[in-house]
Amino acid sequence: MFSRLNGQGVSLAVTLTASLVLGGDALASTINQNTSWTINRGAASTYRVVAYGDSIFAGYNGGLFSVAKRAAPAVEGEYLAKDFGANIEVVRRTKSGARADDIYNNKIVSERSYMQTSNTRVVMFEMCGNDYLQARSAFTDQTGTCSYAGLDTALANCTTYTERAMQAINQYATSAKAKIVMNIYYPGFDADNVQTSCTDSSTGTRINKRAKFLPYLAKSNWRTCNLAEKYGFKCADAFAEYMGADYDTNGDGKIDSDALRYVSGETEAAYVARITSTLVGTLRDANTHFASSGTSFDYIQSDNTHPTFYGGTMSTGSTSSAPTFTDTQVVGGKNPQWNRSGHERAGWLMSLLDPATP
């Protein structure tokens, strides 16, 4: 829900202080994890995909010096390579553990040169996960009377920096034909179905954590997709793809993942009501994503935070290789792994938003 090392390595100070130990909710500190993977088809032309974000786009898998090779941006890049008939360089400029303001300031703005190259065709970003993870962790530790100020601040900051990120990318990525933002899924959906240690000031009783957090996440995701429309971005609705089954579980005539998606023109209040009330019974923890009534796949790693992935890991820095899947293995715009792990699903989702031609 809710980032990569530069090719020159890390300083001794960073090595000693940046312990990326997942304390159940949030990364203990931040670390750059930057990679470049060229999908080499032996073509005459090479185009670039640039991805900014936190540990999700980094492909974080618990290590400092390696990440998932086929993190969502790389998966999307491989689909794009096939569609363009070209080589695709997937540049991931990410920072594990970073909040939205950090990604905006120190990745999107400070490292804007990566999207300013003339061969850039797709720029994507995701942020805010760590804002909510850290707010959730602080809220969980509360006793006495509950304070929702931290959750309110996370939502406000996410909204502010998501908009600023779009404005900056529009300014800098002048050769990009597609600009994509991915919203956030809900890791720990089942684990949060417990009572708080603090009590609500109005009722004097403990409240259900998930019931409190879900409306914040719904508001955030609506604002992300709504801002995308305002600024000419395409919104990849990871929440719907991760949290809803790929068949109709409630008999309303709609596949759950389709029914949960952001709808253009729907108000924030209507979207929040649909997610938190009307369709709340169809939400499922992404650790068990149902492809059908009898088949499920685990979209979340054992840390209960980061997406699962296919295809092993790669060292931070730069590398080049042939596509993982041949053209004949990609049938109907889907490779054989498209729905079997979190990163494959997100990469496929973003490939639907790619430009048709270079």
Side-chain angles (χ1 to χ4, degrees), residues 93-333:
R93 306 301 299 183
T94 56
K95 194 172 186 181
S96 285
R99 294 184 303 196
D101 61 334
D102 195 352
I103 294 167
Y104 168 73
N105 287 309
N106 296 311
K107 288 298 177 181
I108 292 173
V109 175
S110 293
E111 299 186 4
R112 59 188 177 272
S113 62
Y114 291 94
M115 61 175 135
Q116 291 179 304
T117 60
S118 61
N119 68 336
T120 297
R121 291 296 178 269
V122 179
V123 178
M124 62 183 72
F125 78 98
E126 52 81 25
M127 54 171 55
C128 301
N130 289 299
D131 297 74
Y132 293 116
L133 285 170
Q134 292 174 24
R136 179 175 69 176
S137 181
F139 182 77
T140 298
D141 291 340
Q142 287 186 26
T143 57
T145 301
C146 297
S147 170
Y148 308 125
L151 299 173
D152 292 335
T153 297
L155 176 61
N157 286 347
C158 177
T159 305
T160 295
Y161 288 103
T162 295
E163 182 170 28
R164 290 183 183 178
M166 292 178 183
Q167 292 169 336
I169 291 170
N170 278 343
Q171 177 183 352
Y172 300 131
T174 56
S175 65
K177 289 196 171 184
K179 290 164 282 190
I180 302 170
V181 61
M182 191 175 83
N183 68 12
I184 51 182
Y185 55 93
Y186 189 157
F189 181 76
D190 281 352
D192 280 349
N193 190 21
V194 295
Q195 298 298 100
T196 59
S197 297
C198 61
T199 57
D200 183 77
S201 60
S202 300
T203 65
T205 61
R206 296 179 180 181
I207 59 174
N208 182 274
K209 285 171 59 177
R210 187 168 75 189
K212 187 65 183 179
F213 296 152
L214 186 59
Y216 280 95
L217 197 61
K219 290 178 182 179
S220 181
N221 283 339
W222 182 89
R223 294 179 188 184
T224 295
C225 291
N226 185 255
L227 285 168
E229 289 189 306
K230 177 180 178 181
Y231 287 103
F233 277 66
K234 298 178 180 181
C235 189
D237 195 341
F239 181 86
E241 300 294 327
Y242 276 49
M243 309 302 296
D246 295 325
Y247 71 103
D248 182 6
T249 67
N250 65 346
D252 65 356
K254 296 180 180 179
I255 294 172
D256 290 1
S257 54
D258 291 340
L260 290 167
R261 287 198 189 105
Y262 170 84
V263 177
S264 179
E266 185 176 33
T267 66
E268 179 177 308
Y271 174 83
V272 172
R274 179 160 59 89
I275 298 299
T276 64
S277 180
T278 308
L279 297 178
V280 70
T282 68
L283 297 178
R284 298 290 184 272
D285 193 294
N287 276 295
T288 310
H289 180 89
F290 282 93
S292 67
S293 59
T295 304
S296 67
F297 300 108
D298 189 352
Y299 278 13
I300 308 294
Q301 295 180 42
S302 59
D303 60 17
N304 209 22
T305 301
H306 296 94
T308 51
F309 56 91
Y310 169 81
T313 62
M314 63 180 284
S315 298
T316 51
S318 301
T319 190
S320 175
S321 69
T324 302
F325 297 104
T326 64
D327 288 356
T328 57
Q329 289 179 289
V330 181
V331 180

Side-chain angles (χ1 to χ4, degrees), residues 13-61:
V14 171
T15 303
L16 292 175
T17 61
S19 60
L20 281 174
V21 178
L22 289 166
D25 283 304
L27 295 166
S29 57
T30 62
I31 186 74
N32 287 303
Q33 291 186 300
N34 300 313
T35 61
S36 173
W37 174 32
T38 299
I39 302 159
N40 190 347
R41 294 173 56 94
S45 299
T46 300
Y47 299 102
R48 175 177 283 188
V49 171
V50 183
Y52 296 101
D54 54 32
S55 56
I56 303 305
F57 275 4
Y60 181 80
N61 70 333

